[in-house]
Each structure stands twice: as structure tokens, then as C-alpha cells.
């Protein structure tokens, strides 16, 4: 019995969890998001992250839990939830067309117009005329009842669920001010003709029966509506980069059907379809060029302003623009598999995530509102007990309620994250998640893979040395013609270089490949040999022998070419260092990082490349499977390591590194393993990515310092009676606007 159980146990597989994203409606502050998150996480096996700025919840849930159960939990908490419809996110970045924003603007405009004639006489006693208080009541009533209705509604909903949020503070504060004013007007002395009301920035003492606070009720409502409107508008501007990214794709495409062009919606394309892209048109999806030569402008995806030449066999990316001739492209990826869709998904996932600092802010926001309510009650009791002045006690308590709303706290991290990741996407930098930002701060060493990262990854003809009496063009024509018939990477580099420098190449006859030695054949009547077969022609001339030795010392491949029994020249081939690599290394050093070159090549080649770009430390002759061990070794030295790579053999090292930067020109495996994806294959973007990440993290920290500092400083001032409630309302509203505006400065990052 026991043995049977033992053998059966491993067979049972753990059921996989599912993931869903829900749009959450009705949230008005960070404490709302904290409540929804807390309720969802109490469900068995459910893990949820709720983001106030994006108004989304990302939830993983086990088998046995349905999406409907998750939605029901959110609804029971007092909010709405639904699965997003993709089409809605593709309407474009026009924030003004948002119906919620339009309704909020209308409510703000009416409330502000009605509140202004209430606030001005209260602040400027010389504007007060006989019975001005009754006009103020007439104008303030619709502001408090209709203008502040969203706050009252949300507060009531939260009260029914046994919770308190920012809306509770605003609703209680404005209704208390309005209720006190009604009592003073109808039952006290405030309604008497000739009543005058002084205005002070601090709490004033006086007869409660003659004091009204209509300007507080109307002014605070208008200020907070203004703050909400600017906040909502700024949040949509912060997410505009992602919406613009989703909008980039072509809407329709000319597909070839039986030799004819048929225009169809881009979403109906299938893998294998061939479609035509004329000059100026967007390429509909990722594919391979099968006909035509052109230049492609990929600036909207990579940030690279110079168009890239493409020809038959080259890959092209959807949403880039054909800037030259007519192309026929065969679709290789469609829909969610395209690079554009993957970029949008990475950006969206990053924006929906939470950094560690934000989780702390959310926890504080979750307990902040109940704490403020207690402080307001304590303030009222303290003032009443100390002075016996009900008016002063009431005014101080209302100021506490209004000044303490934790809006800025909830917006500090997500708005900066939204703007930073959105700007990164525009520059060809994809940040996978908020925790990546925290990694960039600590990194002190950057490991650079050589091939394809520091170098182009393609062999090219670098130098040509000719023997005395030999014509360089003839050497290139004869050697290039022979190498053109070979498939070896070095041969292809020589053939391509010869065509570029000497023009069209002649045909080679009687071609023979001698393994390990080179190639030989007949070209234009000459018996030509390239490689080590020059030994058949005798000793090398001294100048050629010297050129070959110098090239090999520099880590390059030297190939000897000759014909008719004599060596005629040396062709030097190397994997070219990218033009921008040396500048990139300087920029990485300027960020305080120590560069290390890592390669499987021999040490001579690696050191030559390192010298060319300014790297001091080289780790060479490393097997692909050992690259991750090299990264671990550096970490054991106490270093925090960033790894930049582009190949399959870099994926493990990228995953092990404290920060993985994958070049988007590389493989899918490397991109999936990296923390940051650099869409353009330019190493300078690695420095830009680290700089942008650090700038975003600094903005988040600046926002949090402001938000915490504001609340910490403002609460004691309000409780001490040093803030008029209306001034408190204005300060609270503009603290949120400050945080969002500070985050929007990241849009100017270059």
C-alpha cells in the first residue's frame, strides 16, 4: 500500500494557475486600490496586484476559481470590474474624447463658476453686501450637492462596506462645513441682514452661531474637482505613449492573390501571405522581403532616425515605414506574435506592475484614511477641551479631514512608471517591470558579450595588402571571384568586399575546395589560389609576411591570395567593431559602471576588440554554457552585474545577472531572459536604458518624498489650527497635480 502511494505521488501534476487582467471602476485613491487588492488576495490561491493609476488589476488564480468569482469579489468590495476589450485600447491617444473626462470637466466648470462668487466675498470682506450670505447659500448648495456628488456617492458605498477612503474625508469635510453653515443661517445669527464675516488663513475663534463655512464647502469641492480633472488628464497623457504604440500598426494591406493585389484589413493577414508595400506605406506585419530593394524607417519603434536598407531575404518589422522602393513581403508573424504587439505587451505589463517602494506606499495609504478620521476626532476633542471654542475646534477638524487626502501618495509611483516606460518604448527601450528600476541603481559592473553586441557579428574585408607590381583591383577581382563560389563566412566577407571595391566579379572555373587549406580554381585564364595554398607558390614576399603577422597579432584573419605560381597579396578579414561601441563604453563608464568583455573567441581577438573600444578586463575562450558561471563569479566578488547580450547562448547569463539587457536585434530567447530589451542593436542604447531607469526611479523617490513630506508636515499644521480649511483643500488638490506634473517631465528624456 505504501509503495503504491509512493509511486503514484509523483504522477500527479500541480494544476497550472491562470492569469487575467480586469478593469476596476470606481477607485478614487490609493486606499481604494489597497482595499480591492486586499479582498482579492484573501481568496484561496489568488494573487492580485491592483494599480490605481492604470485602473487595472492583474490576477493569478488557481483551478476552481472563475473570473466571475473575482469580479463578484470586487463588486462586493464596492467597485466595478470587467475584462478589457482590446478594441477600446486602440481608439487612439486623444484624451479629450474620453467620456469620463468630458463629464468631469463639465462638473468642474459648473462648480467653479458657482463657487467663485461664494469664495470671493468670504475672502474679501469689502465685497460683502447685505444678505450676501443667502446668495452664497443659493450658489453653494448645488456645488455641495451636485458637484460633490461623486465624493458623497463613493463615501456612502464605502461606508456600506465598512471602509473609509479619500472620498470619505472630502465628503465628511464638505458636508460638515455645509451643515454647520445651514445651522448658523437658519437657527443662529448668521442669517441676520448686515452680517459680516472676516477671513483668516488660520483658525479663528468666535461665536459659532454667526460663523458660516459655505466658501469652504464650495471652494474645497471646486479645488478637488480641479485636482481630479488635472490628475485624470495627466494620467491619460502618461499612458499616451502606450496607446500611440498600439496605434502604430497598418489598418489595411494589399495582399497578392493569384497575381492580383487585393486590399484587406491587416488583422486578416495569415502567416505565409505575400503583400505589397509601396513607398510611404506602413509594413503591415513582421515578414521577410521576397521582392524589391528599399530603405525602411523604423524610428517609431527603435528611435533610430536613419532608415535601414533592405533587400530580398532581409527581415522587416510591422509598423515600420517603407521609405524607398516597392517591396513584396511574406508574413512570418501576425497578431500578438509581432514585435509591435510584444513591445506593447511588455510596456503594459511593466506599467501594471509595482515597485517595492510602491507596495510600501499602498500599505500606508490603506491605513491612512481611518487614522486621519481618528486624528480629526481627536483634534475636535482636543480643541474643545482646551479652549471650549466649538468654532475653532470644528474648523481645525475640518482642515485635518481635507488636507490629509493621500492622493499624491497613490500617484507618486505609478504615474512616473507609466511615463518612464512609455518614453522608453518611444526610444526603443522596453522596461519589463518596476523592480528593474531598483536593480539599475545598484549595478556597478557591465558584462558585454562581444559578437553581435560590441561587434557587428559579421565578418568583413578590412585591409588589402598587395605585393610589388600587383594591381589591387586585379587581386580583388580574381580572389573575390574564387571566394564567391565558397560558402565559408571568411570567403563570403572577401567576396562582398571585393564586389564593393572592384565592381562586378568574373566567373570562376574548375573550383576546388581543399578542406583546411583554402580554395583554388581558374579565373580569366589564371590559376588562382586563396588560403594556405600559397605554399605551392613558394615563400611569401617580406612585405606580405609582415602584413600577415601584424594582422594575426591584432586578432584578425589573414588570407593569402596568388595566381600563376606566385603570392600576390594578403586579404585581412575581421568581425568589425560597431562604430558606436567605443562611445557606448565611455557612456557606461560615465554612469559608474566597470565594463568587462566576455567572449568565446580566442584571447588575441578579444583583447584587440577590447583595446579598440576602451575595455580593460577581458574574459575570453568561454564556452556558451559557462557564460552564466562567469556572471556568478563576478557576483561572488561582491559586484552587482548587468549583462548585455543578443544570442541564445547569452540567455542563461542574462537571467542570472542582476540586470539583463537584451538587444532586440538578437534572439527571442535572449529578449525573454532580459530585464531590459533594447529594440535597436546599438550599444549606446544600453547606457540610455540605465540612465532612463535611474531617472525614473529618482522621479518616483522624489514624488514619494513630496507626498510623505506633504502629509507629515500638513497634518500637524491643520491640527494646530494654522490652516484655513479652504487653503487646505487647495493645497491637497495641487499636491496631486505636482506629483503627476513632476512625473510628466520624464517625457522630455533624451
Amino acid at each position: 500500500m505504501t509503495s503504491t502511494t509512493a509511486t503514484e505521488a509523483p504522477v500527479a501534476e500541480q494544476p497550472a494557475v491562470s492569469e487575467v487582467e480586469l478593469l476596476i471602476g470606481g477607485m478614487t485613491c490609493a486606499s481604494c486600490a489597497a482595499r480591492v487588492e486586499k479582498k482579492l488576495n484573501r481568496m484561496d490561491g489568488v494573487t492580485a496586484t491592483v494599480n490605481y493609476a492604470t485602473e487595472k488589476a492583474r490576477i493569478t488564480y488557481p483551478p476552481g476559481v472563475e473570473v466571475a468569482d473575482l469580479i463578484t469579489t470586487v463588486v462586493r468590495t464596492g467597485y466595478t470590474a470587467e475584462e478589457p476589450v482590446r478594441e477600446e485600447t486602440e481608439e487612439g491617444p486623444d484624451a479629450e474624447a474620453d467620456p469620463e473626462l468630458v463629464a468631469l470637466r463639465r462638473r468642474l466648470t459648473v462648480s467653479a463658476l458657482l463657487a467663485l462668487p461664494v469664495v470671493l466675498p468670504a475672502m474679501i470682506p469689502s465685497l460683502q453686501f447685505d444678505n450676501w450670505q443667502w446668495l452664497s447659500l443659493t450658489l453653494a448648495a448645488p456645488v455641495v450637492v451636485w458637484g460633490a456628488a461623486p465624493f458623497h456617492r463613493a463615501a456612502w458605498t464605502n461606508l456600506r462596506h465598512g471602509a473609509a477612503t479619500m472620498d470619505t474625508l472630502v465628503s465628511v469635510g464638505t458636508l460638515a462645513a455645509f451643515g454647520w453653515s445651514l445651522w448658523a443661517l437658519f437657527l443662529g445669527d448668521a442669517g441676520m441682514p448686515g452680517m459680516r464675516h472676516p477671513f483668516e488663513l488660520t483658525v479663528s475663534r468666535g461665536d459659532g452661531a454667526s460663523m458660516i463655512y459655505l466658501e469652504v464647502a464650495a471652494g474645497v469641492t471646486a479645488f478637488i474637482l480641479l485636482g481630479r480633472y488635472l490628475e485624470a488628464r495627466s494620467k491619460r497623457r502618461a499612458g499616451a505613449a502606450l496607446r500611440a504604440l498600439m496605434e502604430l500598426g497598418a489598418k489595411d494591406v494589399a495582399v497578392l492573390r493569384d497575381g492580383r493585389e487585393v486590399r484587406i484589413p491587416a488583422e486578416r493577414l495569415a502567416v505565409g501571405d505575400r503583400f505589397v508595400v509601396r513607398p510611404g506605406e506602413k509594413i503591415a506585419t513582421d515578414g521577410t522581403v521576397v521582392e524589391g530593394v528599399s530603405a525602411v524607417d523604423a524610428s517609431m519603434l527603435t528611435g533610430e532616425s536613419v532608415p535601414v536598407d533592405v533587400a530580398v531575404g532581409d527581415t522587416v518589422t510591422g509598423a515600420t515605414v517603407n521609405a524607398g522602393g516597392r517591396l513584396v513581403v511574406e508574413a512570418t508573424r501576425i497578431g500578438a506574435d509581432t514585435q509591435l504587439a510584444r513591445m506593447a505587451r511588455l510596456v503594459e505589463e511593466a506599467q501594471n506592475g509595482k515597485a517595492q517602494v510602491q507596495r510600501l506606499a499602498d500599505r500606508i495609504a490603506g491605513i491612512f484614511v481611518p487614522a486621519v478620521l481618528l486624528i480629526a476626532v481627536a483634534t475636535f476633542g482636543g480643541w474643545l477641551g482646551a479652549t471650549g471654542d466649538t468654532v475653532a475646534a470644528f474648523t481645525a477638524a475640518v482642515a485635518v479631514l481635507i488636507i490629509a487626502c493621500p492622493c499624491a501618495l497613490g500617484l507618486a509611483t505609478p504615474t512616473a512608471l507609466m511615463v518612464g516606460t512609455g518614453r522608453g518604448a518611444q526610444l526603443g527601450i522596453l522596461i519589463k517591470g518596476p523592480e528593474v528600476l531598483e536593480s539599475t541603481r545598484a549595478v556597478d559592473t557591465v558584462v558585454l558579450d562581444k559578437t553581435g553586441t560590441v561587434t557587428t557579428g559579421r565578418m568583413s574585408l578590412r585591409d588589402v595588402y598587395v605585393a610589388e607590381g600587383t594591381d589591387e583591383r586585379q587581386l580583388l577581382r580574381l580572389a573575390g571571384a574564387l571566394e564567391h563560389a565558397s560558402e565559408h563566412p571568411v570567403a563570403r566577407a572577401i567576396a562582398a568586399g571585393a564586389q564593393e571595391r572592384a565592381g562586378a566579379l568574373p566567373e570562376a572555373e574548375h573550383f576546388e575546395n581543399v578542406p583546411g587549406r583554402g580554395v583554388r580554381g581558374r579565373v580569366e585564364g589564371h590559376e588562382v589560389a586563396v588560403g594556405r595554398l600559397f605554399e605551392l607558390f613558394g615563400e611569401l614576399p617580406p612585405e606580405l609576411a609582415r602584413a600577415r603577422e601584424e594582422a594575426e597579432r591584432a586578432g584578425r584573419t589573414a588570407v593569402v591570395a596568388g595566381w600563376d605560381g606566385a603570392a600576390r597579396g594578403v586579404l585581412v578579414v575581421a568581425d568589425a567593431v560597431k562604430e558606436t561601441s567605443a562611445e557606448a563604453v565611455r557612456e557606461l563608464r560615465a554612469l559608474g559602471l566597470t565594463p568587462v568583455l566576455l567572449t568565446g573567441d580566442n584571447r588575441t581577438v578579444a583583447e584587440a576588440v577590447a583595446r579598440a573600444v576602451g575595455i580593460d578586463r577581458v574574459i575570453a575562450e568561454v564556452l556558451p554554457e559557462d557564460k552564466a558561471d562567469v556572471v556568478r563569479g563576478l557576483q561572488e566578488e561582491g559586484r552587482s552585474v548587468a549583462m548585455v547580450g543578443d544570442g541564445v547562448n547569452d540567455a542563461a547569463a542574462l537571467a542570472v545577472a542582476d540586470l539583463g539587457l537584451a538587444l532586440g536585434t538578437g534572439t527571442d530567447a535572449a529578449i525573454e531572459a532580459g530585464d531590459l530589451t533594447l529594440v535597436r542593436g546599438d550599444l549606446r542604447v544600453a547606457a540610455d536604458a540605465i540612465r532612463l531607469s535611474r531617472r525614473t526611479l529618482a522621479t518616483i523617490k522624489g514624488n514619494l518624498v513630496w507626498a510623505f513630506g506633504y502629509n507629515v508636515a500638513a497634518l500637524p499644521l491643520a491640527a494646530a489650527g494654522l490652516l484655513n480649511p479652504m487653503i487646505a483643500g487647495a493645497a491637497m488638490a495641487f499636491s496631486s497635480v505636482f506629483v503627476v506634473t513632476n512625473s510628466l517631465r520624464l517625457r522630455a528624456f533624451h
Side-chain angles (χ1 to χ4, degrees):
M1 191 75 175
T2 307
S3 60
T4 306
T5 307
T7 55
E8 286 176 354
V11 178
E13 293 184 2
Q14 285 294 323
V17 296
S18 304
E19 187 173 286
V20 69
E21 184 178 85
L22 296 179
L23 295 174
I24 308 296
M27 293 194 300
T28 54
C29 64
S31 55
C32 297
R35 283 192 62 235
V36 176
E37 190 173 293
K38 188 176 180 181
K39 291 285 186 181
L40 286 169
N41 283 325
R42 281 181 178 171
M43 298 175 69
D44 287 341
V46 172
T47 304
T49 300
V50 180
N51 191 313
Y52 167 51
T54 59
E55 297 173 344
K56 290 178 181 176
R58 185 170 294 278
I59 309 164
T60 56
Y61 57 96
V65 175
E66 302 292 335
V67 174
D69 301 331
L70 302 172
I71 292 174
T72 301
T73 299
V74 175
V75 171
R76 282 179 183 159
T77 311
Y79 304 90
T80 63
E82 61 181 355
E83 292 189 70
V85 179
R86 283 294 162 195
E87 286 71 23
E88 290 178 3
T89 63
E90 294 171 2
E91 289 173 357
D94 183 8
E96 297 303 320
D98 188 303
E100 287 185 25
L101 205 61
V102 171
L104 185 54
R105 185 169 63 229
R106 188 185 306 116
R107 193 179 296 271
L108 165 64
T109 304
V110 173
S111 297
L113 290 173
L114 292 174
L116 190 62
V118 178
V119 171
L120 286 178
M123 294 184 70
I124 307 170
S126 60
L127 295 179
Q128 295 172 6
F129 49 89
D130 286 349
N131 295 315
W132 68 274
Q133 67 272 40
W134 294 104
L135 176 64
S136 292
L137 175 63
T138 305
L139 296 174
V143 177
V144 176
V145 176
W146 176 79
F151 310 131
H152 304 321
R153 202 161 38 237
W156 173 246
T157 301
N158 288 316
L159 181 62
R160 286 193 295 117
H161 291 88
T165 65
M166 170 201 145
D167 296 293
T168 308
L169 302 181
V170 175
S171 180
V172 169
T174 54
L175 287 177
F178 188 68
W180 181 286
S181 302
L182 288 177
W183 175 80
L185 283 168
F186 288 102
L187 301 176
D189 301 329
M192 301 293 291
M195 190 275 280
R196 296 294 183 263
H197 198 310
F199 177 78
E200 297 175 7
L201 292 175
T202 58
V203 169
S204 58
R205 303 186 187 188
D207 179 12
S210 62
M211 300 290 287
I212 60 172
Y213 292 96
L214 292 172
E215 80 281 5
V216 171
V220 164
T221 299
F223 276 130
I224 293 177
L225 283 172
L226 176 62
R228 282 277 175 91
Y229 173 72
L230 294 175
E231 174 190 312
R233 198 162 172 269
S234 298
K235 277 161 62 177
R236 279 157 181 77
R237 284 175 65 199
L242 177 58
R243 289 193 296 277
L245 193 64
M246 291 175 166
E247 277 286 291
L248 282 178
K251 298 296 179 284
D252 55 12
V253 57
V255 181
L256 290 176
R257 298 271 195 257
D258 300 323
R260 292 186 304 109
E261 292 182 25
V262 180
R263 198 154 276 279
I264 63 171
E267 60 266 21
R268 285 174 52 193
L269 266 177
V271 173
D273 279 348
R274 294 191 173 193
F275 57 93
V276 176
V277 190
R278 290 185 174 79
E281 289 185 340
K282 286 182 180 178
I283 296 170
T285 193
D286 298 358
T288 305
V289 177
V290 293
E291 186 182 315
V293 176
S294 183
V296 171
D297 178 3
S299 57
M300 67 288 295
L301 286 184
T302 66
E304 176 57 73
S305 57
V306 180
V308 179
D309 292 330
V310 295
V312 174
D314 289 336
T315 57
V316 289
T317 305
T320 54
V321 177
N322 179 13
R326 177 182 182 272
L327 293 175
V328 177
V329 179
E330 182 174 310
T332 55
R333 286 178 172 176
I334 59 168
D337 294 329
T338 63
Q339 183 172 341
L340 175 66
R342 290 165 66 205
M343 283 177 66
R345 194 159 57 245
L346 280 172
V347 174
E348 195 169 17
E349 285 172 1
Q351 292 183 351
N352 284 336
K354 287 192 179 183
Q356 203 60 40
V357 284
Q358 185 183 346
R359 294 187 186 281
L360 173 63
D362 284 351
R363 280 199 298 273
I364 292 171
I367 61 172
F368 194 77
V369 174
V372 168
L373 289 171
L374 290 175
I375 293 170
V377 171
T379 300
F380 182 82
W383 272 83
L384 197 60
T387 66
D389 189 335
T390 311
V391 174
F394 171 78
T395 308
V398 170
V400 166
L401 287 172
I402 291 167
I403 195 75
C405 299
C407 293
L409 199 58
L411 291 168
T413 299
T415 49
L417 191 62
M418 287 173 72
V419 181
T421 53
R423 182 60 183 149
Q426 291 173 332
L427 298 173
I429 301 164
L430 302 182
I431 302 170
K432 272 200 176 173
E435 62 282 348
V436 172
L437 304 177
E438 287 156 347
S439 301
T440 60
R441 179 187 54 185
V443 165
D444 56 28
T445 303
V446 58
V447 175
L448 305 174
D449 174 57
K450 181 183 78 69
T451 307
T453 302
V454 176
T455 66
T456 62
R458 298 184 304 275
M459 302 294 276
S460 61
L461 181 63
R462 304 301 302 278
D463 296 304
V464 179
Y465 299 93
V466 294
E468 191 175 343
T470 301
D471 177 63
E472 182 178 315
R473 187 169 183 275
Q474 185 185 19
L475 173 69
L476 288 169
R477 279 173 52 78
L478 298 182
L482 198 60
E483 294 285 52
H484 189 65
S486 172
E487 289 299 315
H488 193 279
V490 171
R492 286 204 300 270
I494 292 173
Q499 281 179 314
E500 188 178 313
R501 300 187 191 192
L505 302 176
E507 289 289 326
E509 300 172 342
H510 310 300
F511 174 82
E512 182 187 356
N513 181 14
V514 182
R517 303 285 299 283
V519 293
R520 58 187 173 192
R522 190 172 184 81
V523 184
E524 293 186 335
H526 298 284
E527 294 295 331
V528 183
V530 182
R532 297 183 181 180
L533 296 169
F534 68 86
E535 294 163 0
L536 301 173
F537 307 140
E539 290 296 319
L540 282 180
E543 67 271 24
L544 294 186
R546 195 160 47 249
R548 187 181 66 154
E549 287 170 10
E550 286 176 1
E552 289 178 347
R553 265 202 307 273
R556 297 177 174 181
T557 301
V559 177
V560 179
W563 58 85
D564 299 337
R568 310 284 182 163
V570 171
L571 306 170
V572 179
V573 175
D575 178 5
V577 174
K578 291 179 182 176
E579 293 178 1
T580 57
S581 291
E583 184 185 343
V585 169
R586 285 195 297 274
E587 290 183 8
L588 290 167
R589 283 188 184 279
L591 290 170
L593 304 175
T594 303
V596 176
L597 188 68
L598 177 64
T599 181
D601 268 358
N602 68 68
R603 179 160 291 278
T604 304
V605 172
E607 288 178 346
V609 171
R611 278 195 301 274
V613 297
I615 296 176
D616 300 324
R617 184 170 179 181
V618 176
I619 302 174
E621 299 171 8
V622 177
L623 294 173
E625 57 270 24
D626 294 336
K627 286 186 176 182
D629 292 334
V630 170
V631 172
R632 287 191 192 95
L634 290 168
Q635 289 169 331
E636 286 168 5
E637 293 176 15
R639 298 172 181 265
S640 182
V641 181
M643 168 78 190
V644 186
D646 73 329
V648 171
N649 55 20
D650 299 326
L654 287 167
V656 166
D658 299 290
L659 181 69
L661 295 92
L663 295 186
T665 49
T667 64
D668 289 353
I671 292 169
E672 288 300 320
D675 299 309
L676 288 160
T677 299
L678 315 178
V679 179
R680 189 171 6 134
D682 185 340
L683 191 57
R684 288 177 302 181
V685 184
D688 290 340
I690 292 172
R691 197 178 296 113
L692 173 62
S693 297
R694 288 181 176 179
R695 182 83 59 83
T696 304
L697 185 63
T699 302
I700 288 172
K701 289 188 171 179
N703 286 347
L704 286 171
V705 166
W706 166 263
F708 276 119
Y710 161 80
N711 279 317
V712 167
L715 269 175
L717 288 175
L722 299 176
L723 282 177
N724 179 286
M726 192 174 65
I727 303 300
M732 190 282 296
F734 284 103
S735 70
S736 297
V737 176
F738 170 83
V739 163
V740 177
T741 306
N742 187 46
S743 299
L744 287 172
R745 292 190 306 123
L746 286 167
R747 293 173 67 176
F749 177 86
H750 292 287

